[in-house]
């Protein structure tokens, strides 16, 4: 049976074709066309988002079940596209100031974007791997984009070597799973696993390797080593991109693999994931205390945040998955705002990134300081800001499953992490004013910061649109195309 | 139809805060800008006070039900509601919050000049959150307000505080947060168990003792820190000493009451079985708090620290009264909280008055103030005696009712707690003697000006309130009694099945005995 319906792939196709078109324009017009290319890329992302919004969301698989589109995938795609637009917008001014405005930048981000869109739609172990590698390779290059900087090169090498290792583990896991279930198709694997006799230790080992590979992508402890170094070494605009988007895509992939494909053997992965979750929360909370560099601090904070999100995965219910989606959405909005502020940390044309550089920001740049304070309070989960509701739904899903030890560890580590978020506020508000940053803030940064702060302040007033769509996206995941399976197996 | 008065009181300060951000002026216009900012804040908070008084006037004192109820769907999927309402227990706390905010704004009128705009915004946001805390009838909504209070208070202590403000603000924030997050788990567990976050519904949900115990402990972690009870009170002296005067006023006046209010709103009605189970623990901690912190207060050399420790002791009476589970005890606890809200706030203002002049809070630097500051000595005396609990002041009514209630529950605890009254008199009189009487040791202290007109405007109404409600407490207790009556009845009723079984067993035994005798 040849299944060649490619309409659900329209957003990916659009982005791939525009990436190539941008490349051609770049080659012909040279590096001074970078700004135009960035905005063209943003426009392409926006059009892709519109296409996603317009297309039918009822779950169906195409290309011989390689690719699935459902509400879950659609929601994640919109999330990813929003993140892409925000991170590209934040980059425009930065890449000029740092003299790294080469036309490959938007192209690479776009290719990574294609990879991520495919990731959340992957319905087959091979399309999973392919999509993951497409985005990873683009990310390795982006990390090294500041060619003249040794730190950037170091970050990229570290990222690449460890990334390649994790890809190897992932592939090994995939081969084991294929060997023991006889298929690479998610639906068939699920079907096979639900028959009790097919459940062999080989699958469990394969799953463990698969999880290790994915844990690397979301930087869950103990696969987090690369995160602080890469975040610190990579150009800041790239760090912003890393912090916002790829983790969301990887988490979407993880959710689909665990909650759909491997849901019949949830007992096997729950322990692994709860270990990842606890370790990430604790390391994220305690290691961040000692950091002086704000990019490293954000790296540890993102490790901790992934730990919270994993609590929702452990709950293994549609509510849990919905809470994870909501959490990721809120996390992305907050991170966008935080990086809009960090990118303003420049003195005499040079980027500074020590926490102490923020001292007295409330005197020099009050608006920036208040926005950052709101973001920090939100990150530490203090109501009435949006960050609190993200955590609330995660904890609610876990309490529903009676996961009290996990929840208690979660709230305790959130108190510890509140300490280092408060430290940033302390530096900005309580300490003596330092030298002011270079004045001015580009329109794009203002816009991103404004949207982000408006979101975290206003979430409490109108939460339903976001919460309900996240929850219904999660529901579509567990009820995913089970009807197709029959026809395929027959 | 009633206007949505509670929402108005919550939103109005926020609107004023937004207006303050919009006040602009040319360079050189700073004094005018400052004045406009202060006026917006003052009039905004006075409007809220007017609404609060209007609400008290329209409060139906014959009913124990929630009044001025507003209910809208908030999170549709999880079934959370924006649900507000007041009963006799909460209505006066709202008035207290609305009263103390303009007092704070006036108290900072001439003493705070740094970042006045942010300062006023912080107090207005705080007011909105405090009123929200006392009127929320949905557990998650309550939590949002309850914990949201940390943000403005953290900034108030940290930005406008004293030399060790950073340590104090972090300690305050992290202590309170640690307690609160445990409460969050309890709220979620309650929600999962009963399927609702609606407080009035939760009050009639029945859960087993084992479950209640865990939930109770989590709530206790939060409220005990907020209260604060011994041994988790250590953040309070630090916070008070470092906070600016107005910050101390709000902290002592309103924020400490959130713990007691939490016990009355959650622990007692929702978890009656566990409350009884843990009552001895609470009573013991309360008595330790009363005696220990009173002794600590005796040796303090810093005025604010002394009053801070006295607050812990006074809050000990509150928990004692609440966990006596008697009508008088709970009435007394609420009255004591309101009375302490005014008296301790006023005492901090009194310290602020002399601090503004001499910039020290060390008791030994003062002396003989009665000679050059007779008005100050008089108002200070009223509040000092109120704190001691002299008959004729609100302090007396609160402590007396509390002890009457506790006496019915346990004579031992009452006797021990009563020693706190003696110690309380000792440290307050000692403070007053050293500061107001005695020789004028320091020249600069002897030359201080008496109360300014602004200070009189702030302090005299508070002094009048202390005496008026001390002589005529029924004005307050009449409104709170129906609700506390209902609370106590509900508490007794939830223990009923047990006693009912015993009674029926007794009846059965009697019956058998009679039968045996008959045969």
């Amino acid at each position: 049976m040849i299944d060649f319906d490619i309409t659900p792939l329209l957003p990916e196709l659009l982005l791939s074709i525009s990436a190539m078109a941008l490349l051609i324009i770049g080659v012909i017009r040279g590096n001074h066309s970078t700004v135009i290319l960035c905005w063209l890329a943003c426009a392409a992302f926006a059009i892709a988002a519109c296409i996603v919004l317009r297309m039918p969301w009822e779950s169906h698989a195409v290309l011989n079940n390689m690719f699935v589109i459902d509400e879950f995938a659609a929601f994640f795609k919109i999330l990813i596209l929003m993140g892409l637009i925000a991170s590209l917008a934040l980059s425009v001014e930065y890449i000029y100031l740092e003299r790294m405005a080469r036309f490959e930048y938007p192209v690479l981000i776009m290719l990574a974007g294609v990879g991520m869109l495919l990731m959340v739609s992957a319905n087959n172990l091979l399309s999973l791997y392919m999509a993951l590698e497409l985005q990873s390779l683009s990310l390795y290059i982006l990390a090294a984009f500041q060619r003249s900087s040794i730190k950037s090169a170091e970050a990229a090498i570290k990222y690449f070597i460890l990334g390649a290792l994790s890809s190897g583990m992932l592939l090994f896991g995939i081969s084991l799973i294929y060997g023991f279930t006889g298929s690479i198709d998610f639906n068939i694997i699920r079907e096979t696993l639900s028959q009790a006799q097919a459940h062999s230790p080989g699958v469990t080992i394969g799953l463990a390797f698969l999880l290790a590979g994915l844990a690397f992508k979301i930087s869950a402890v103990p696969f987090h080593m690369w995160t602080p170094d890469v975040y610190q070494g990579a150009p800041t605009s790239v760090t912003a991109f890393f912090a916002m988007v790829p983790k969301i895509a990887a988490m979407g992939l993880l959710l689909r693999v665990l909650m759909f494909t491997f849901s019949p053997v949830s007992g096997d992965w729950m322990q692994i994931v709860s270990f990842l979750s606890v370790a990430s929360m604790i390391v994220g909370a305690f290691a961040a205390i000692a950091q002086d560099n704000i990019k490293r601090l954000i790296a540890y904070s993102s490790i901790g945040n992934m730990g919270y999100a994993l609590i929702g995965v452990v709950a293994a219910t549609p509510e849990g998955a919905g809470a994870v989606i909501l959490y990721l959405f809120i996390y992305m909005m907050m991170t966008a705002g935080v990086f809009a502020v960090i990118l303003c940390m420049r003195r005499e044309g040079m980027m500074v990134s020590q926490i102490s550089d923020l001292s007295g920001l409330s005197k020099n740049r009050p608006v920036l300081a208040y926005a950052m304070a709101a973001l920090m309070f939100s990150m530490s989960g203090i109501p009435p800001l949006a960050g609190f509701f993200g955590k609330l739904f995660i904890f609610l899903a876990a309490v529903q499953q009676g996961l009290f030890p996990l929840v208690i560890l979660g709230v305790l580590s959130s108190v510890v992490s509140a300490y280092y978020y408060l430290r940033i506020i302390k530096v900005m508000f309580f300490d003596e004013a330092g030298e002011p940053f270079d004045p001015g803030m580009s329109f794009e940064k203002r816009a991103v910061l404004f949207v982000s702060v408006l979101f975290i302040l206003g979430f409490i007033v109108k939460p339903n649109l976001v919460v309900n769509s996240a929850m219904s996206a999660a529901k579509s995941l567990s009820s995913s195309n089970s009807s197709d399976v029959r026809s395929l197996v027959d | 139809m009633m206007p949505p008065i509670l929402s108005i009181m919550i939103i109005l300060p926020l609107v004023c805060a937004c207006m303050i951000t919009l006040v602009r002026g040319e360079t050189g216009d700073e004094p005018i800008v400052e004045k406009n900012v202060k006026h917006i804040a003052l009039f905004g908070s006075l409007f809220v006070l007017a609404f609060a008084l209007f609400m008290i006037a329209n409060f139906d004192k014959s009913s124990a039900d929630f009044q001025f109820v507003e209910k809208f769907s908030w999170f549709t999927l999880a079934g959370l509601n924006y649900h507000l309402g007041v009963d006799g227990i909460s209505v006066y706390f709202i008035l207290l919050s609305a009263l103390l905010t303009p007092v704070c704004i006036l108290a900072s009128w001439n003493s705070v000049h740094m970042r006045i705009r942010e300062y006023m915004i912080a107090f207005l946001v705080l007011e909105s959150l405090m009123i929200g805390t006392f009127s929320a009838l949905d557990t998650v909504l309550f939590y949002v307000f309850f914990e949201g209070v940390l943000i403005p208070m953290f900034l108030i202590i940290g930005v406008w505080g004293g030399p060790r403000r950073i340590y104090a603000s972090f300690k305050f924030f992290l202590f309170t947060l640690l307690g609160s997050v445990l409460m969050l788990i309890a709220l979620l567990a309650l929600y999962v168990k009963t399927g609702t976050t609606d407080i009035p519904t939760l009050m009639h949900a029945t859960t087993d003792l084992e479950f209640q115990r865990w939930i109770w402990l989590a709530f206790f972690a939060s409220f005990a820190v907020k209260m604060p009870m011994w041994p988790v009170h250590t953040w309070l002296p630090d916070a008070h000493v470092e906070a600016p005067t107005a910050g101390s006023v709000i902290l002592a006046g309103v924020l400490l009451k959130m713990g007691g209010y939490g016990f009355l709103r959650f622990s007692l009605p929702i978890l009656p079985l566990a409350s009884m189970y843990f009552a001895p623990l609470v009573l013991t901690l309360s008595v330790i708090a009363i005696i220990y912190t009173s002794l600590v207060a005796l040796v303090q050399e810093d005025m604010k620290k002394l009053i801070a420790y006295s607050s812990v002791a006074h809050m000990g009476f509150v928990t004692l009264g609440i966990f006596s589970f008697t009508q008088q005890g709970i009435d007394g606890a609420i009255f004591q909280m309101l009375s302490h809200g005014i008296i301790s706030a006023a005492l901090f203002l009194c310290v602020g008055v002399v601090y503004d002049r001499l910039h020290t809070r060390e008791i030994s630097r003062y002396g003989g103030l009665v000679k050059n500051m007779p008005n100050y000595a008089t108002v200070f005396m009223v509040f000092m005696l109120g704190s001691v609990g002299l008959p004729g002041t609100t302090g007396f009514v609160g402590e007396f009712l509390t002890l009457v209630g506790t006496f019915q529950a346990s004579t031992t605890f009452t006797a021990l707690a009563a020693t706190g009254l003696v110690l309380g008199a000792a440290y307050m009189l000692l403070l007053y003697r050293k500061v107001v009487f005695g020789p004028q040791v320091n020249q600069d202290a002897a030359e201080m000006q008496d109360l300014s007109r602004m200070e009189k405007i702030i302090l005299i109404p508070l002094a009048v309130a202390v005496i008026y409600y001390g002589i005529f407490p029924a004005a307050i207790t009449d409104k709170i009694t129906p609700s506390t009556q209902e609370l106590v009845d509900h508490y007794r009723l939830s223990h009923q099945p047990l006693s009912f079984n015993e009674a029926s067993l007794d009846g059965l035994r009697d019956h058998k005995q009679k039968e045996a005798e008959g045969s």
Side-chain angles (χ1 to χ4, degrees), chain A residues 211-223:
Chain A
L211 270 178
L214 291 178
F216 175 87
K217 301 293 175 202
I218 59 167
S219 71
V221 178
F223 306 101

Side-chain angles (χ1 to χ4, degrees), chain B residues 270-307:
Chain B
I270 299 177
L271 310 163
L273 302 176
S275 292
M276 188 175 78
Y277 180 82
F278 285 108
L281 171 76
V282 179
L283 295 181
T284 314
L285 291 179
S286 311
V287 167
I288 295 176
I290 292 171
I291 298 174
Y292 170 77
T293 51
S294 299
L295 289 173
V296 174
L298 267 175
V299 296
Q300 294 306 315
E301 285 166 358
D302 182 309
M303 290 200 247
K304 264 189 159 180
K305 227 173 189 168
L306 190 148
I307 300 169

Side-chain angles (χ1 to χ4, degrees), chain B residues 20 23 29-43 105 109-110 112-113 116-117 120:
Chain B
I20 287 178
V23 177
D29 287 351
E30 280 86 5
I32 301 170
V33 170
E34 202 174 289
K35 209 172 108 192
N36 287 339
V37 164
K38 284 176 188 165
H39 278 115
I40 293 175
L42 179 65
F43 286 114
I105 289 168
W109 204 263
N110 296 321
V112 174
H113 298 289
I116 190 79
R117 194 193 293 261
M120 293 301 168

